[in-house]
PDB file of all heavy atoms in Angstrom:
ATOM      1  N   MET A   1      -4.397  28.500   6.707  1.00  0.00           N
ATOM      2  CA  MET A   1      -4.998  27.588   5.759  1.00  0.00           C
ATOM      3  C   MET A   1      -4.932  26.177   6.340  1.00  0.00           C
ATOM      4  O   MET A   1      -3.869  25.708   6.725  1.00  0.00           O
ATOM      5  CB  MET A   1      -4.240  27.668   4.430  1.00  0.00           C
ATOM      6  CG  MET A   1      -4.754  26.711   3.401  1.00  0.00           C
ATOM      7  SD  MET A   1      -3.850  26.795   1.836  1.00  0.00           S
ATOM      8  CE  MET A   1      -4.814  28.029   1.021  1.00  0.00           C
ATOM      9  N   ALA A   7      -7.541  11.507   0.335  1.00  0.00           N
ATOM     10  CA  ALA A   7      -8.011  10.142   0.536  1.00  0.00           C
ATOM     11  C   ALA A   7      -7.213   9.203  -0.352  1.00  0.00           C
ATOM     12  O   ALA A   7      -6.797   9.558  -1.445  1.00  0.00           O
ATOM     13  CB  ALA A   7      -9.494  10.046   0.219  1.00  0.00           C
ATOM     14  N   ASN A  11      -5.407   2.236  -7.159  1.00  0.00           N
ATOM     15  CA  ASN A  11      -4.375   2.680  -8.104  1.00  0.00           C
ATOM     16  C   ASN A  11      -3.387   3.668  -7.511  1.00  0.00           C
ATOM     17  O   ASN A  11      -2.394   3.990  -8.158  1.00  0.00           O
ATOM     18  CB  ASN A  11      -4.971   3.250  -9.395  1.00  0.00           C
ATOM     19  CG  ASN A  11      -5.820   2.248 -10.125  1.00  0.00           C
ATOM     20  OD1 ASN A  11      -5.452   1.081 -10.225  1.00  0.00           O
ATOM     21  ND2 ASN A  11      -6.963   2.670 -10.618  1.00  0.00           N
ATOM     22  N   VAL A  13      -0.294   4.929  -5.194  1.00  0.00           N
ATOM     23  CA  VAL A  13       0.922   4.334  -4.639  1.00  0.00           C
ATOM     24  C   VAL A  13       1.064   4.824  -3.203  1.00  0.00           C
ATOM     25  O   VAL A  13       0.933   6.024  -2.930  1.00  0.00           O
ATOM     26  CB  VAL A  13       2.164   4.716  -5.472  1.00  0.00           C
ATOM     27  CG1 VAL A  13       3.437   4.172  -4.844  1.00  0.00           C
ATOM     28  CG2 VAL A  13       2.013   4.206  -6.902  1.00  0.00           C
ATOM     29  N   ALA A  15       3.037   4.085   0.904  1.00  0.00           N
ATOM     30  CA  ALA A  15       4.141   3.514   1.670  1.00  0.00           C
ATOM     31  C   ALA A  15       3.604   3.177   3.054  1.00  0.00           C
ATOM     32  O   ALA A  15       2.710   3.859   3.572  1.00  0.00           O
ATOM     33  CB  ALA A  15       5.298   4.503   1.786  1.00  0.00           C
ATOM     34  N   THR A  19       5.808  -1.239  10.430  1.00  0.00           N
ATOM     35  CA  THR A  19       5.973  -2.625   9.996  1.00  0.00           C
ATOM     36  C   THR A  19       4.602  -3.286   9.825  1.00  0.00           C
ATOM     37  O   THR A  19       3.728  -3.141  10.673  1.00  0.00           O
ATOM     38  CB  THR A  19       6.806  -3.405  11.029  1.00  0.00           C
ATOM     39  OG1 THR A  19       8.063  -2.755  11.155  1.00  0.00           O
ATOM     40  CG2 THR A  19       7.029  -4.837  10.604  1.00  0.00           C
ATOM     41  N   PRO A  21       2.583  -7.036   8.824  1.00  0.00           N
ATOM     42  CA  PRO A  21       2.745  -8.480   8.615  1.00  0.00           C
ATOM     43  C   PRO A  21       2.488  -8.869   7.165  1.00  0.00           C
ATOM     44  O   PRO A  21       1.614  -8.317   6.498  1.00  0.00           O
ATOM     45  CB  PRO A  21       1.680  -9.097   9.525  1.00  0.00           C
ATOM     46  CG  PRO A  21       1.268  -8.020  10.461  1.00  0.00           C
ATOM     47  CD  PRO A  21       1.522  -6.716   9.769  1.00  0.00           C
ATOM     48  N   ALA A  23       1.034 -11.108   4.175  1.00  0.00           N
ATOM     49  CA  ALA A  23      -0.209 -11.867   4.033  1.00  0.00           C
ATOM     50  C   ALA A  23       0.043 -13.269   3.501  1.00  0.00           C
ATOM     51  O   ALA A  23      -0.624 -14.215   3.879  1.00  0.00           O
ATOM     52  CB  ALA A  23      -1.171 -11.127   3.103  1.00  0.00           C
ATOM     53  N   GLY A  27       6.717 -13.343   8.398  1.00  0.00           N
ATOM     54  CA  GLY A  27       7.600 -12.187   8.308  1.00  0.00           C
ATOM     55  C   GLY A  27       6.818 -10.892   8.216  1.00  0.00           C
ATOM     56  O   GLY A  27       5.594 -10.868   8.366  1.00  0.00           O
ATOM     57  N   TRP A  29       6.728  -6.662   6.332  1.00  0.00           N
ATOM     58  CA  TRP A  29       7.208  -5.643   5.407  1.00  0.00           C
ATOM     59  C   TRP A  29       7.635  -4.461   6.249  1.00  0.00           C
ATOM     60  O   TRP A  29       6.921  -4.045   7.149  1.00  0.00           O
ATOM     61  CB  TRP A  29       6.104  -5.237   4.431  1.00  0.00           C
ATOM     62  CG  TRP A  29       5.722  -6.330   3.499  1.00  0.00           C
ATOM     63  CD1 TRP A  29       4.579  -7.082   3.530  1.00  0.00           C
ATOM     64  CD2 TRP A  29       6.498  -6.823   2.413  1.00  0.00           C
ATOM     65  NE1 TRP A  29       4.603  -8.018   2.523  1.00  0.00           N
ATOM     66  CE2 TRP A  29       5.763  -7.867   1.818  1.00  0.00           C
ATOM     67  CE3 TRP A  29       7.737  -6.482   1.871  1.00  0.00           C
ATOM     68  CZ2 TRP A  29       6.233  -8.574   0.718  1.00  0.00           C
ATOM     69  CZ3 TRP A  29       8.188  -7.192   0.772  1.00  0.00           C
ATOM     70  CH2 TRP A  29       7.453  -8.217   0.214  1.00  0.00           C
ATOM     71  N   GLY A  32       8.105   2.060   5.227  1.00  0.00           N
ATOM     72  CA  GLY A  32       8.713   2.645   4.037  1.00  0.00           C
ATOM     73  C   GLY A  32       8.538   1.803   2.786  1.00  0.00           C
ATOM     74  O   GLY A  32       8.738   2.292   1.678  1.00  0.00           O
ATOM     75  N   ALA A  33       8.176   0.512   2.944  1.00  0.00           N
ATOM     76  CA  ALA A  33       7.927  -0.328   1.769  1.00  0.00           C
ATOM     77  C   ALA A  33       6.758   0.263   0.991  1.00  0.00           C
ATOM     78  O   ALA A  33       5.786   0.735   1.568  1.00  0.00           O
ATOM     79  CB  ALA A  33       7.611  -1.761   2.185  1.00  0.00           C
ATOM     80  N   GLU A  48      -0.764  -4.118  -3.188  1.00  0.00           N
ATOM     81  CA  GLU A  48       0.071  -5.061  -3.926  1.00  0.00           C
ATOM     82  C   GLU A  48       1.528  -4.632  -3.823  1.00  0.00           C
ATOM     83  O   GLU A  48       1.883  -3.515  -4.197  1.00  0.00           O
ATOM     84  CB  GLU A  48      -0.331  -5.106  -5.391  1.00  0.00           C
ATOM     85  CG  GLU A  48       0.545  -6.053  -6.194  1.00  0.00           C
ATOM     86  CD  GLU A  48       0.227  -6.034  -7.680  1.00  0.00           C
ATOM     87  OE1 GLU A  48      -0.101  -4.966  -8.207  1.00  0.00           O
ATOM     88  OE2 GLU A  48       0.316  -7.108  -8.291  1.00  0.00           O
ATOM     89  N   ASP A  53      12.406  -6.391 -10.183  1.00  0.00           N
ATOM     90  CA  ASP A  53      13.416  -7.197 -10.858  1.00  0.00           C
ATOM     91  C   ASP A  53      12.818  -8.269 -11.769  1.00  0.00           C
ATOM     92  O   ASP A  53      13.484  -8.770 -12.656  1.00  0.00           O
ATOM     93  CB  ASP A  53      14.342  -7.868  -9.841  1.00  0.00           C
ATOM     94  CG  ASP A  53      15.180  -6.861  -9.085  1.00  0.00           C
ATOM     95  OD1 ASP A  53      15.403  -5.751  -9.625  1.00  0.00           O
ATOM     96  OD2 ASP A  53      15.603  -7.166  -7.959  1.00  0.00           O
ATOM     97  N   ALA A  57       6.272  -8.836 -10.837  1.00  0.00           N
ATOM     98  CA  ALA A  57       5.604 -10.006 -10.264  1.00  0.00           C
ATOM     99  C   ALA A  57       5.106  -9.688  -8.856  1.00  0.00           C
ATOM    100  O   ALA A  57       5.801  -9.075  -8.063  1.00  0.00           O
ATOM    101  CB  ALA A  57       6.556 -11.191 -10.216  1.00  0.00           C
ATOM    102  N   LYS A  68      -2.129   3.357   8.655  1.00  0.00           N
ATOM    103  CA  LYS A  68      -0.755   2.865   8.558  1.00  0.00           C
ATOM    104  C   LYS A  68      -0.178   3.067   7.149  1.00  0.00           C
ATOM    105  O   LYS A  68       0.845   2.509   6.812  1.00  0.00           O
ATOM    106  CB  LYS A  68      -0.689   1.389   8.946  1.00  0.00           C
ATOM    107  CG  LYS A  68      -1.064   1.147  10.402  1.00  0.00           C
ATOM    108  CD  LYS A  68      -0.963  -0.296  10.764  1.00  0.00           C
ATOM    109  CE  LYS A  68      -1.367  -0.494  12.232  1.00  0.00           C
ATOM    110  NZ  LYS A  68      -1.225  -1.877  12.632  1.00  0.00           N
TER     111      LYS A  68
END
Side-chain angles (χ1 to χ4, degrees):
M1 177 181 270
N11 300 318
V13 176
T19 301
W29 293 106
E48 179 184 36
D53 294 336
K68 296 181 181 182

